[in-house]
């Protein structure tokens, strides 16, 4: 390979497919799939081919910007950081620390900034981290916490050993959300012994290739899941031996479903009895795994739907079982474990929402800002997030941000959100900094790929972690870093570790400020705060990770002997004497050696490496409930679950004259990449951002394909071109997300989030219910 070719990953979705890119004159010029990538194995979608349009465009930031009466003006880093810190300190001292919130970090391809964002929040004393994970998946995490004792690690489908995929609200052919999803889906759909079953109110591209598409009425996912469970239990098709061995609460749950009126339930979903019974027979006899995504999770009864499909998997014996859904391992959890012992401190000020796994749903943020409570959120730091285009209810976000006393945005581009900020700080892009992601998408292997910088950033762009560290320093959050620690960071990493251990004993708030200390010492030596943070993450791993890493060749036991080498004993003794404390003794732990080996391997393996293996047959041991069994009963959901009956739902689902149709607000397509590609050329000549409508409805409303129509909801109105399509049912329309880009004075498509209300959300998780928005469509006579 010539020197200008590099291995890296696509950063446009969470799968991070392997790429080979050519860089000439500091620009990405050619992109190819990495055929030898251990995970994506040469697969990429069309978005991956367009990462240059994410990297190089006219909206890239080149200076810190300050908003003045004349608009944005470039300022120096020193000026920006010192003025921001003064404003923030003032707001916090006039109010309370909870008047500050952090949004973002952990974007699709870069997770290390969140280490710094979380530390910044801790130092300020606010718990509020608003993140997109809480926009779609935290209900699933919460259910997993209740049933498996693992909010941090919900089960993932084992498609390698399953003979059937149950895809619920998942259009993997377009949205992926599983590595090599289109290839896997096509394999299941065409294999004579395998099956792909789709339950979806949309006729997605996944539904089109499926063996079976159960096309339920919009908004009836919970009714349908209840009916499936009822059929299995009323027919005694459950997996009794699995339930007896591994499940608690079956006797309490079963009677609720024995009374369920199956014909009435299925009728409300628009599904005939034969179709449902045949599916249940397959579910009770096949080796199937579940993939549930936003068609269901961003729909009515979101958290209940997660609960019901988890129950369905359990009564069929599909959890923690080969070919079912398995609890994966990780290097760092995406969502931490925050269970029932929530304090008042953790609840939001206005709506009193609790976090799930340390994250708050972006959907509630406008109300937490735009209210009259004296302690409401008044200052916000946003990093790598564009809520004005990405989240439900653009108007509510705009109003809320106008009400903020202070908004700072860290980003690579002058986004629609950055335009509203008081200060905008230029960050290095994913291809200009060291970074990685911690998604646990693989089983039994634990995989990590560290991306190195390929492009030289402008001198004014910094790694996000460095920006937050500098801001923390300006705020006075950093402990006094000793000269000996700074000097040690320029030596070998073992010497630095011993100095760090010694320093940690005497520095107050060392733990909270740990990433910042690393950034200012090792980060400087390595020329990367992110790299230093990763080194810190690896050094602080617990026993479980270490044992798994041992199975991947990063020996733990043999490390003991090398840790006890003469050099190490001498270095530790010297550090103990110099610093007059015994913390450096920890430097003799075998884990230190192991972490260093892993770190070394990651920096030398641009295509990533396996950091551990799990045992298929031991997955039940990953359950962390008190009795070690799967828990079927969640009392907090009991009333809600019971309230979902065919009778009541048919009243709730009745369409009104004002809004006779249902808008599916947002769907993945080959032409949208969230809001991450700003250069519009990549979709030039393609038809995108249309309103999709069933031919019968188009006929009913006398609208032709290509005609302009207005879609009107309670929240707003947008006008777009109509596309007649069989991908939606009669009575539905569909508009993709990700449009509404403003670039170089031109607009590209319309932002569907103008049509959604942030109050239309799940009562438990706050997830927006984008998939079910009552609307009407009017033809425009242009
Ligand atoms: S956008 Fe496409 S190429 Fe990029 S990571 Fe996702 S699936 Fe892979």
């Amino acid at each position: 390979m010539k020197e200008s070719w590099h291995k890296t990953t696509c950063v446009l979705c969470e799968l991070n497919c392997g790429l080979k890119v050519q860089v000439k004159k500091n620009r990405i010029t050619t992109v190819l799939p990495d055929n030898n990538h251990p995970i994506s194995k040469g697969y990429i979608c069309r978005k991956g081919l367009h990462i240059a349009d994410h990297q190089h465009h006219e909206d890239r930031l080149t200076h810190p910007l300050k908003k003045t009466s004349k608009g944005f003006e470039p300022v120096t880093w020193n000026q920006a950081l010192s003025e921001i810190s003064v404003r923030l300190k003032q707001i916090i001292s006039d109010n309370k620390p909870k008047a500050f919130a952090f949004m973002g970090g952990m974007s699709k391809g870069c997770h290390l900034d969140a280490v710094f964002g979380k530390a910044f929040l801790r130092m300020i004393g606010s718990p509020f981290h608003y993140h997109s994970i809480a926009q779609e998946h935290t209900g699933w995490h919460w259910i997993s916490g209740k049933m498996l004792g693992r909010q941090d690690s919900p089960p993932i489908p084992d498609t390698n050993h399953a003979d059937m995929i149950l895809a619920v609200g998942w259009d993997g052919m377009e949205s992926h959300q599983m590595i090599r999803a289109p290839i896997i889906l096509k394999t299941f759909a065409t294999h004579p012994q395998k099956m792909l079953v789709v339950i979806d109110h949309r006729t997605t591209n996944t539904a089109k290739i499926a063996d079976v598409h159960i096309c339920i009425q919009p908004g009836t996912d919970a009714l349908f899941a209840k009916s499936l469970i009822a059929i299995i239990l009323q027919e005694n098709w459950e997996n009794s031996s699995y339930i007896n061995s591994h499940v608690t609460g079956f006797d309490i749950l079963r009677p609720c479903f024995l009374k369920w009126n199956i014909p009435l339930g299925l009728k409300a979903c628009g599904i005939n009895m034969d179709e449902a019974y045949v599916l249940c027979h397959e579910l009770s006899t096949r080796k199937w795994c579940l993939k549930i995504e936003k068609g269901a999770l961003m729909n009515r009864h979101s958290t209940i739907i997660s609960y019901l499909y988890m129950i369905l998997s359990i009564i069929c014996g599909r959890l923690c079982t080969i070919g079912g859904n398995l609890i994966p391992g990780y290097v760092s959890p995406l969502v931490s474990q925050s269970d029932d012992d929530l304090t008042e401190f953790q609840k939001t000020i206005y709506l009193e929402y609790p976090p799930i796994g340390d994250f708050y749903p972006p959907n509630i943020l406008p109300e937490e800002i735009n209210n009259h409570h004296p302690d409401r959120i008044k200052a916000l730091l946003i990093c790598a997030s564009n809520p004005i285009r990405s989240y439900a209810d653009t108007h509510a976000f705009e109003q809320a941000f106008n009400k903020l006393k202070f908004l700072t945005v860290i980003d690579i581009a002058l986004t629609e959100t950055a335009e509203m900020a008081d200060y905008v700080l230029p960050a290095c892009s994913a291809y200009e900094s060291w970074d990685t992601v911690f998604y646990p998408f693989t089983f039994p292997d634990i995989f990590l790929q560290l991306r190195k910088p390929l492009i030289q950033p402008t001198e004014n762009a910094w790694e996000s972690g460095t920006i937050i560290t500098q801001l923390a320093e300006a705020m006075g959050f950093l402990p006094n870093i000793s000269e000996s620690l700074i000097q040690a960071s320029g030596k070998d990493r073992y010497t630095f570790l011993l100095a760090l251990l010694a320093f940690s004993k005497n520095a107050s708030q060392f733990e909270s400020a740990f990433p910042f200390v690393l950034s200012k010492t090792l980060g400087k030596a390595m020329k990367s705060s992110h790299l230093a943070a990763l080194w810190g993450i690896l050094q602080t791993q617990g026993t479980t990770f270490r044992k798994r890493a041992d199975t991947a060749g990063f020996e733990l036991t043999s490390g003991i002997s090398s840790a006890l080498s003469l050099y190490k004993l001498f270095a530790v003794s010297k550090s103990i004497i110099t610093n007059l404390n015994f913390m450096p003794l920890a430097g003799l732990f075998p884990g230190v050696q192991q972490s260093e080996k892993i770190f070394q391997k990651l920096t030398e393996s641009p295509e990533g490496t396996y950091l551990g293996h799990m045992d298929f047959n031991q997955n039940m041991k990953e359950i962390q409930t008190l009795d070690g069994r799967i828990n079927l009963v969640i009392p907090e959901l009991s009333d809600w679950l019971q309230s979902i009956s065919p009778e009541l739902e048919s009243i709730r689902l009745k369409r009104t004259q004002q809004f006779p149709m249902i808008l599916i607000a947002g769907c993945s397509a080959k032409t949208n990449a969230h809001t991450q590609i700003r250069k519009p050329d990549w979709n030039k000549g393609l038809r995108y951002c249309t309103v999709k409508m069933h031919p019968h409805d188009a006929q009913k409303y006398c609208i032709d394909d290509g005609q302009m129509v207005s879609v009107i909801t309670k929240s707003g109105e947008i006008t777009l071109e109509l596309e007649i399509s069989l991908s939606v049912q009669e009575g539905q329309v569909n508009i993709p997300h990700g449009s509404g880009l403003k670039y170089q004075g031109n607009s590209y498509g319309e932002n569907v989030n103008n049509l959604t209300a942030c109050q239309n959300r799940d009562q438990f998780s706050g997830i927006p219910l984008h998939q079910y928005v009552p609307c009407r469509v009017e033809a425009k006579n242009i």
Side-chain angles (χ1 to χ4, degrees):
M1 188 186 288
K2 286 182 195 160
E3 259 185 26
S4 62
W5 281 91
H6 305 273
K7 290 196 174 205
T8 186
T9 72
C10 172
V11 295
L12 298 175
C13 91
E14 64 275 27
L15 301 174
N16 288 248
C17 297
L19 301 179
K20 282 197 308 187
V21 302
Q22 191 177 34
V23 177
K24 280 185 193 166
K25 295 188 180 161
N26 210 32
R27 292 181 74 85
I28 295 173
T29 51
T30 317
V31 181
L32 296 172
D34 178 0
N35 292 328
N36 297 320
H37 191 269
I39 303 297
S40 56
K41 296 177 183 153
Y43 176 82
I44 58 169
C45 72
R46 84 171 275 266
K47 297 172 207 179
L49 293 171
H50 287 275
I51 56 158
D53 294 326
H54 163 72
Q55 168 66 30
H56 308 291
H57 55 80
E58 301 303 320
D59 282 353
R60 284 298 305 273
L61 293 163
T62 52
H63 286 85
L65 298 175
K66 174 186 180 176
K67 192 172 273 167
T68 68
S69 55
K70 295 184 213 135
F72 281 121
E73 288 182 1
V75 290
T76 63
W77 272 107
N78 275 349
Q79 184 184 345
L81 292 168
S82 111
E83 290 177 6
I84 293 169
S85 66
V86 168
R87 294 279 300 272
L88 278 182
K89 278 194 247 179
Q90 190 65 50
I91 290 170
I92 290 157
S93 84
D94 289 351
N95 299 274
K96 289 179 180 165
K98 285 172 82 172
F100 174 84
F102 176 67
M103 175 178 252
M106 281 171 66
S107 63
K108 303 288 179 194
C110 306
H111 282 182
L112 290 169
D113 54 359
V115 175
F116 297 88
K118 287 264 186 212
F120 194 78
L121 266 178
R122 277 195 302 272
M123 299 303 282
I124 282 204
S126 165
F128 299 140
H129 186 182
Y130 288 85
H131 195 273
S132 58
I133 285 181
Q135 195 74 348
E136 199 165 336
H137 287 117
T138 35
W140 182 246
H141 282 264
W142 187 79
I143 292 294
S144 176
K146 290 286 170 191
M147 301 180 88
L148 311 175
R150 298 295 301 262
Q151 244 180 41
D152 62 336
S153 200
I156 60 169
D158 174 19
T159 54
N160 287 328
H161 301 94
D163 61 22
M164 178 171 120
I165 297 177
L166 183 67
V168 181
W170 177 45
D171 183 13
M173 291 298 290
E174 293 292 322
S175 66
H176 292 85
Q177 296 166 308
M178 179 189 283
I179 291 154
R180 309 173 81 240
I183 292 171
I184 293 169
L185 286 166
K186 281 184 203 156
T187 305
F188 272 77
T190 52
H191 194 287
Q193 268 88 48
K194 294 183 191 239
M195 267 185 99
L196 171 62
V197 176
V198 171
I199 299 172
D200 209 312
H201 56 285
R202 312 160 296 179
T203 308
T204 59
N205 282 342
T206 306
K208 282 178 194 159
I209 63 160
D211 297 279
V212 178
H213 174 204
I214 310 268
C215 191
I216 57 174
Q217 284 296 307
T220 62
D221 292 77
L223 275 180
F224 187 63
K226 271 184 121 172
S227 302
L228 293 180
I229 296 167
I231 293 171
I232 288 171
L233 295 182
Q234 290 180 24
E235 295 296 322
N236 293 319
W237 286 347
E238 71 270 18
N239 186 333
S240 299
S241 66
Y242 176 94
I243 292 169
N244 289 337
S245 304
H246 304 297
V247 179
T248 297
F250 182 66
D251 294 343
I252 300 169
L253 192 87
R254 186 167 178 264
C256 315
F257 289 92
L258 293 183
K259 289 181 280 180
W260 181 256
N261 187 328
I262 296 168
L264 219 53
L266 291 175
K267 192 170 167 220
C269 305
I271 301 300
N272 74 47
M273 296 274 283
D274 287 351
E275 209 177 353
Y277 273 78
V278 169
L279 171 59
C280 285
H281 188 260
E282 300 288 359
L283 290 172
S284 52
T285 51
R286 275 184 176 267
K287 234 187 197 187
W288 61 274
C289 62
L290 169 72
K291 179 73 174 160
I292 182 165
E293 283 297 342
K294 75 173 174 201
L297 296 181
M298 296 180 108
N299 215 319
R300 300 174 66 248
H301 307 303
S302 166
T303 300
I304 289 284
I305 293 168
S306 292
Y307 182 33
L308 289 167
Y309 276 101
M310 198 77 97
I311 293 174
L312 186 69
S313 297
I314 293 162
I315 60 172
C316 295
R318 306 308 310 144
L319 274 195
C320 305
T321 306
I322 296 179
N325 285 65
L326 298 159
I327 298 173
Y330 51 68
V331 179
S332 179
L334 288 189
V335 165
S336 58
Q337 189 81 17
S338 68
D339 270 333
D340 292 334
D341 51 348
L342 287 170
T343 59
E344 272 308 301
F345 172 75
Q346 289 172 287
K347 290 188 184 158
T348 62
I349 299 285
Y350 184 63
L351 296 168
E352 298 184 356
Y353 250 77
I356 297 179
D358 257 5
F359 292 116
Y360 295 84
N363 219 16
I364 64 165
L365 183 60
E367 284 157 90
E368 292 294 335
I369 296 168
N370 200 0
N371 65 66
H372 296 293
H373 197 293
D375 297 333
R376 68 183 181 275
I377 291 174
K378 296 186 179 116
L380 183 63
L381 173 63
I382 298 179
C383 181
S385 178
N386 187 4
I388 295 293
R389 261 182 66 215
S390 302
Y391 293 142
D393 211 333
T394 305
H395 297 311
F397 269 100
E398 282 168 347
Q399 279 177 359
F401 286 179
N402 280 326
K403 184 157 182 175
L404 280 173
K405 282 193 186 305
F406 195 51
L407 175 62
T408 306
V409 170
I410 299 169
D411 211 310
I412 67 167
L414 192 62
T415 64
E416 292 75 6
T417 300
E419 294 269 12
M420 297 196 73
D422 297 290
Y423 288 83
V424 186
L425 305 178
C428 295
S429 77
Y431 300 107
E432 294 164 352
S433 50
W434 288 95
D435 221 317
T436 188
V437 295
F438 297 106
Y439 293 113
F441 285 153
T442 49
F443 192 99
D445 308 308
I446 300 168
F447 177 79
L448 200 80
Q449 182 168 7
L450 178 63
R451 281 194 327 271
K452 69 173 184 183
L454 311 178
I455 306 279
Q456 196 63 37
T458 69
E459 59 184 285
N460 286 308
W462 293 352
E463 277 187 342
S464 305
T466 304
I467 297 174
I468 302 173
T469 302
Q470 294 300 108
L471 192 53
E473 187 172 37
M475 295 284 290
F477 290 160
L478 266 64
N480 283 330
I481 298 174
S482 62
E483 195 49 41
S484 58
L485 185 60
I486 293 170
Q487 278 180 14
S489 66
K491 298 180 181 164
D492 66 282
R493 280 198 292 277
Y494 192 72
T495 304
F496 174 71
L497 177 83
L498 297 183
L500 188 68
L501 287 165
F503 176 74
S504 69
K505 177 83 186 331
N506 299 322
S508 65
Q509 291 198 297
F510 172 78
E511 212 172 306
S512 299
F514 184 48
F516 302 138
V517 174
L518 285 179
S519 167
K520 298 293 289 182
T521 52
L522 192 60
K524 275 203 171 149
M526 290 174 160
K527 295 193 172 51
S528 168
S529 300
H530 292 179
L531 209 47
L534 181 66
W535 179 85
I537 288 170
L538 293 172
Q539 283 294 351
T540 49
Q541 286 292 331
T543 322
T544 307
F545 172 84
R546 295 201 175 285
K547 282 186 184 161
R548 286 177 185 155
D550 188 81
T551 65
F554 300 102
E555 293 91 358
L556 193 54
T557 43
S558 66
I560 294 172
S561 52
S562 70
L564 290 175
S565 70
L566 274 180
Y567 160 69
K568 289 205 164 128
L569 280 174
F570 174 72
V572 169
S573 313
K574 193 174 154 210
S575 188
I576 289 171
I577 294 162
T578 313
N579 297 293
L580 297 177
N581 73 52
F582 289 96
M583 284 299 286
L585 270 180
L588 289 177
F589 290 171
V592 167
Q593 183 86 355
Q594 186 194 44
S595 295
E596 190 54 43
K597 274 191 207 160
I598 294 173
F599 184 76
Q600 201 63 39
K601 177 82 178 166
L602 283 168
T603 52
E604 289 164 1
S605 314
E607 67 289 329
T609 192
Y610 293 109
L611 299 187
H613 300 296
M614 296 181 70
D615 188 337
F616 278 103
N617 297 309
Q618 301 292 318
N619 205 244
M620 276 293 170
K621 291 192 177 154
E622 299 298 322
I623 290 169
Q624 288 180 358
T625 50
L626 285 178
D627 61 1
R629 293 166 70 87
I630 300 168
N631 169 44
L632 272 185
V633 181
I634 305 180
E636 296 95 318
L637 296 182
S638 157
D639 289 349
W640 184 7
L641 188 60
Q642 277 184 22
S643 77
I644 301 168
S645 68
E647 297 83 359
L648 288 173
E649 286 289 279
S650 59
I651 297 166
R652 294 172 189 142
L653 291 165
K654 224 174 170 72
R655 312 271 171 95
T656 63
Q657 236 180 343
Q658 192 187 9
F659 297 121
M661 303 193 81
I662 297 301
L663 164 68
I664 301 165
C667 61
S668 299
K670 293 180 175 66
T671 47
N672 59 20
H674 306 279
T675 62
Q676 299 207 75
I677 298 186
R678 292 197 72 77
K679 198 168 172 184
D681 296 12
W682 78 296
N683 280 332
K684 206 169 176 182
L686 298 177
R687 194 180 194 191
Y688 70 99
C689 198
T690 56
V691 181
K692 288 198 173 119
M693 181 184 261
H694 192 276
H696 291 170
D697 285 328
Q699 202 173 22
K700 187 164 121 193
Y701 291 108
C702 302
I703 317 176
D704 292 328
D705 191 278
Q707 194 173 340
M708 297 305 281
V709 293
S710 283
V711 179
I712 302 154
T713 66
K714 259 189 192 170
S715 304
E717 171 176 348
I718 60 176
T719 300
L720 284 168
E721 180 189 327
L722 184 91
E723 181 177 349
I724 295 176
S725 168
L726 288 168
S727 66
V728 285
Q729 292 186 46
E730 283 183 64
Q732 289 180 344
V733 287
N734 187 342
I735 301 175
H737 59 262
S739 279
L741 167 75
K742 308 264 185 290
Y743 183 76
Q744 298 293 290
N746 294 318
S747 297
Y748 296 85
E750 290 285 345
N751 183 359
V752 72
N753 292 320
N754 283 309
L755 298 180
T756 51
C758 52
Q759 291 85 0
N760 184 24
R761 61 177 168 245
D762 184 74
Q763 55 181 285
F764 242 84
S765 61
I767 289 172
L769 310 180
H770 283 328
Q771 296 285 309
Y772 193 90
V773 184
C775 74
R776 70 173 179 277
V777 179
E778 292 175 0
K780 299 300 263 191
N781 297 316
I782 298 171

